[in-house]
Amino acid sequence: MSFISFLDGAVGTAGSASTTANMLSTVVPFVLIIAIFYFFLIRPQNKKQKETEKMINALKKGDKVVTIGGIHGVVSSTKEKTVIVKVDDNCKIEFSRSAIAAVENEKTLESKKDKKESEAESEEGSAEESK
């Protein structure tokens, strides 16, 4: 009888090990999915949101801005929750700070200009090579 009780104990141990392995094989994919979501979706979004808040808080008079609606102008004055943007000589519009999509400073404009010039040069070079 001791041999039979030994076998019962061995079977019980093997059963609990397989249960643990099944549970582990079920939990690991969920953990991996959560990690992927964090590194590819959540973390970059939080980083972008912090940069946007930093940009909005740093707005000052004279900054060239673009609104979410695509209106380009120069900041005329700032208030606590709003910004007054000068669109034309006699036209000023008051926007919520959250409506500002981007600040166009000289560095941004120069980098865009350099990028366009380099693209144009590469297109001319490829056109000459094809002749």
Side-chain angles (χ1 to χ4, degrees):
M1 283 228 187
S2 65
F3 181 72
I4 294 174
S5 63
F6 173 74
L7 287 176
D8 286 340
V11 171
T13 307
S16 67
S18 67
T19 305
T20 306
N22 285 338
M23 184 184 297
L24 191 63
S25 67
T26 313
V27 172
V28 169
F30 286 117
V31 171
L32 288 174
I33 290 171
I34 291 170
I36 289 170
F37 267 87
Y38 176 76
F39 284 109
F40 288 113
L41 295 174
I42 298 169
R43 188 168 158 236
Q45 183 64 31
N46 287 342
K47 191 174 183 181
K48 185 176 180 181
Q49 185 177 2
K50 286 180 183 178
E51 288 176 4
T52 304
E53 284 180 23
K54 189 176 177 182
M55 177 207 49
I56 288 173
N57 290 334
L59 282 175
K60 61 185 181 298
K61 184 177 179 179
D63 285 345
K64 293 182 180 180
V65 296
V66 179
T67 65
I68 293 173
I71 298 173
H72 294 253
V74 178
V75 175
S76 176
S77 66
T78 60
K79 297 180 181 178
E80 186 177 332
K81 293 186 179 186
T82 61
V83 176
I84 298 176
V85 178
K86 184 177 180 183
V87 180
D88 198 16
D89 292 333
N90 300 326
C91 182
K92 293 181 181 179
I93 304 173
E94 188 170 0
F95 289 99
S96 173
R97 281 184 176 262
S98 61
I100 304 298
V103 176
E104 292 183 346
N105 54 17
E106 292 178 19
K107 293 177 186 176
T108 308
L109 295 175
E110 288 176 6
S111 66
K112 286 181 183 178
K113 184 178 178 183
D114 292 340
K115 185 177 180 182
K116 286 181 182 178
E117 288 176 357
S118 65
E119 288 175 356
E121 290 174 359
S122 65
E123 288 177 5
E124 289 175 3
S126 63
E128 290 177 4
E129 289 176 3
S130 65
K131 289 182 181 180

